[in-house]
Amino acid sequence: MKISEFLAHSHQRLVSCLPDDLLHDVAKRMYTHEIGAMPVCELSMRMVGVISERDLVRSFARADWSEMQYIRARDVMTTRIVSCGPEDTMRIAQGLMRINHIRHLPVIKDGQVQAMLSMRDTLALRLRESEDEMNVLRDVVAASRHQNP
């Protein structure tokens, strides 16, 4: 399945932050929207990084608590961006996540971030495809039993 097809059916809403957003606000936004990562974008929606729960934990572990109120998204975001396009398949997206040891993958079209895929998205789709395949095989076996009693 193409990523664009998956996104059309998933009704996901892109949640992003600005590079100068305070880390506390970023964490609150991620918690509120129940997401594990979000793109860090300039006002033009050009992505400059990704911030994940892992980035938040690392920053909390490294920083002095008195400094936490001054830390911004740009200070902790990951700038090495691995991405895919809407015309790629979900299997390609899953492979990119596996190879690059990441759990979230931005979908970029014409230089702008369109969505974020998670490993959970790809695994849920694979599970659904496996269940559909199993049901088809079960129907084939049942039909062949009725033809050859």
Side-chain angles (χ1 to χ4, degrees):
M1 174 183 281
K2 285 188 178 182
I3 293 169
S4 58
E5 294 170 34
F6 173 81
L7 292 172
H9 291 94
S10 71
H11 306 291
Q12 289 184 6
R13 192 175 139 245
L14 180 65
V15 178
S16 65
C17 66
L18 297 168
D20 286 328
D21 284 352
L22 292 172
L23 206 55
H24 178 264
D25 296 329
V26 171
K28 211 175 221 178
R29 192 171 303 144
M30 289 171 69
Y31 173 77
T32 300
H33 293 280
E34 299 178 338
I35 56 175
M38 73 170 103
V40 181
C41 300
E42 294 175 335
L43 290 176
S44 64
M45 286 306 289
R46 186 180 74 83
M47 190 168 58
V48 294
V50 173
I51 192 160
S52 68
E53 292 169 326
R54 186 179 293 165
D55 296 322
L56 293 176
V57 169
R58 284 183 183 141
S59 66
F60 293 152
R62 290 181 185 154
D64 183 82
W65 285 104
S66 62
E67 299 170 0
M68 290 303 294
Q69 62 184 331
Y70 304 109
I71 298 176
R72 302 191 178 277
R74 74 170 64 254
D75 301 326
V76 300
M77 69 184 185
T78 301
T79 56
R80 183 183 160 269
I81 301 169
V82 177
S83 65
C84 61
E87 296 306 308
D88 290 328
T89 65
M90 291 294 282
R91 285 188 191 255
I92 288 173
Q94 188 176 30
L96 285 169
M97 286 186 243
R98 187 181 63 253
I99 290 167
N100 290 284
H101 306 287
I102 56 177
R103 293 183 299 240
H104 301 89
L105 188 66
V107 180
I108 297 178
K109 181 178 180 183
D110 299 328
Q112 294 188 336
V113 62
Q114 305 290 306
M116 287 287 284
L117 288 178
S118 70
M119 183 63 79
R120 181 183 297 156
D121 294 330
T122 64
L123 292 174
L125 179 63
R126 296 281 299 269
L127 179 61
R128 193 172 344 129
E129 289 173 343
S130 294
E131 288 170 346
D132 291 346
E133 185 176 306
M134 185 176 63
N135 290 335
V136 167
L137 291 172
R138 186 180 306 127
D139 292 346
V140 167
V141 169
S144 69
R145 285 185 183 158
H146 289 299
Q147 290 177 355
N148 301 320

